[in-house]
Amino acid sequence: MKAMRYHEPGGPDVLRYEEIPDPEPGPVDVVVDVVATALNRLDVVQRNGWFAMPGFTLPHIAGMDVAGVVSEVGDEVDGVAVGDRVVVDPSLAGVDDRSKLGGRGDLYGELGIIGGTVDGGYAERCLVPASHVYAVPHAMSLETAATFPTCWLTAVHALFDVGGLAAGETVMIHAAGSGVSVAAIQLAVNAGATVLATAGTDEKCEQAKELGAAHVLNNRTGDVAGWARELTEGAGVNMVFDHVGTALFGPSLFALGIGGRLVNCGNSSGDEAVIPSLGYVFHSGIKILGSDPYRPEEFAPAWDTFCANSFNAAIDSLFDLPNAAEAQEKMLTSNFFGKILLKP
């Protein structure tokens, strides 16, 4: 099969479109013929050598978000058949030891991730535990399905399992044009919350309104905390959903009201953050919550919710697999809204 992989860290030039052996399933595995895979920032971070997940090895095939058609099944697979249209749960937590990808389920250590630590979707075929594929409705395109796994599970886990977002609450969501925030905005609105969305351009702010955000602000030019206070008549928001980190950490804290929760699931603007006032944090009962990896049992109900609602997948652009370097460079510019897809 053809795959886009790299043998050493570096710029886009290290990506090689090359012929490699087809994956072969273990007893409880399947092989998925990839129809689409979505890009994530980790693809570029690991390629450049800026950071690597525990258990990462070279050569590597990126691509955590995979949708396609099952082409082979292991001898002991039950409930999945050749020809099934599926989306893949990339987390290898809860995988049967009989799988070729078993033994990588440490949530707080060496958690295996398809496309993160083992070969993923930048290829014509992908090896997957049979327990980690989910049927895609015939009315849904496989391209839409490929936007789901990483972003939507990250958002579901952070908003509800970690943050406890409830109907009637207000939540501020930063970086509205990113895939995870596109998911978070729609999930929060669907749950009955009021969304205040921020983004780095006026155009992305308008697109966030189309997703259901009640209020939007350009966070490059606006006063984030003051805006939140004004809209809530001084009370502050109940939650901030943050994966930006350094750049907006202080304003996010001051945007929170009494007992507010800052839920962090990323650090795209930097890994260090300053708490501008410990007094405000303890006096107001502010909670700073880290959103850890989602659990295997969260995937199916989140997928059911996605399938049952007319959510906007927000596909920005599609690239052919040989043009993966161009797709990754586009992602680094942040000049996109939603997800960038690759198609073999």
Side-chain angles (χ1 to χ4, degrees):
M1 69 173 184
K2 289 288 189 180
M4 183 66 74
R5 65 177 181 173
Y6 55 97
H7 298 253
E8 65 280 324
D13 56 298
V14 302
L15 291 170
R16 301 182 192 174
Y17 187 59
E18 55 192 10
E19 190 80 29
I20 65 171
D22 287 342
E24 297 182 0
V28 294
D29 298 325
V30 300
V31 174
V32 174
D33 286 357
V34 179
V35 171
T37 188
L39 274 66
N40 288 282
R41 191 164 292 272
L42 183 67
D43 303 354
V44 176
V45 168
Q46 293 199 135
R47 187 209 71 199
N48 275 311
W50 298 334
F51 167 81
M53 297 291 292
F56 173 83
T57 58
L58 292 169
H60 179 65
I61 300 172
M64 294 187 287
D65 297 336
V66 179
V69 179
V70 175
S71 58
E72 291 184 65
V73 299
D75 295 339
E76 299 175 34
V77 170
D78 184 33
V80 183
V82 171
D84 286 354
R85 302 168 74 249
V86 297
V87 66
V88 173
D89 176 1
S91 168
L92 296 179
V95 173
D96 191 306
D97 287 341
R98 292 172 294 167
S99 168
K100 285 187 173 181
L101 299 177
R104 298 174 170 90
D106 186 350
L107 287 170
Y108 299 104
E110 197 166 305
L111 174 62
I113 303 170
I114 291 170
T117 60
V118 302
D119 288 343
Y122 283 35
E124 292 177 330
R125 297 179 184 88
C126 185
L127 178 69
V128 184
S131 59
H132 281 44
V133 298
Y134 294 81
V136 175
H138 287 292
M140 181 184 295
S141 73
L142 289 169
E143 290 80 7
T144 293
T147 69
F148 172 78
T150 301
C151 290
W152 288 78
L153 264 295
T154 298
V156 165
H157 184 69
L159 287 173
F160 306 114
D161 186 74
V162 176
L165 184 66
E169 291 194 306
T170 53
V171 56
M172 178 183 289
I173 298 174
H174 293 312
S178 68
V180 69
S181 292
V182 164
I185 290 168
Q186 295 179 85
L187 286 164
V189 171
N190 188 63
T194 298
V195 173
L196 285 63
T198 84
T201 69
D202 293 341
E203 180 183 4
K204 289 181 179 180
C205 285
E206 289 305 308
Q207 289 173 291
K209 288 180 71 173
E210 294 173 8
L211 297 177
H215 308 281
V216 294
L217 177 75
N218 186 323
N219 57 38
R220 303 289 176 87
T221 59
D223 174 4
V224 170
W227 171 70
R229 293 283 174 177
E230 180 181 355
L231 289 173
T232 57
E233 299 181 342
V237 298
N238 300 113
M239 181 191 297
V240 173
F241 176 89
D242 172 49
H243 53 95
V244 173
T246 305
L248 295 175
F249 196 81
S252 294
L253 284 177
F254 286 133
L256 289 166
I258 303 300
R261 297 96 72 194
L262 191 159
V263 181
N264 176 266
C265 60
N267 55 356
S268 61
S269 71
D271 198 43
E272 296 183 357
V274 174
I275 296 176
S277 172
L278 284 171
Y280 181 73
V281 170
F282 67 72
H283 183 72
S284 302
I286 301 299
K287 301 172 181 66
I288 301 173
L289 303 169
S291 187
D292 55 355
Y294 67 85
R295 274 47 176 179
E297 60 270 20
E298 291 179 86
F299 196 96
W303 176 239
D304 289 345
T305 297
F306 185 80
C307 294
N309 290 275
S310 299
F311 291 132
N312 187 339
I315 297 172
D316 178 271
S317 49
L318 294 90
F319 289 81
D320 293 332
L321 183 58
N323 297 321
E326 182 183 351
Q328 288 189 350
E329 289 301 287
K330 178 180 177 69
M331 186 174 62
L332 282 178
T333 68
S334 296
N335 186 25
F336 65 97
F337 190 92
K339 299 299 289 183
I340 299 169
L341 300 186
L342 289 177
K343 292 177 65 67

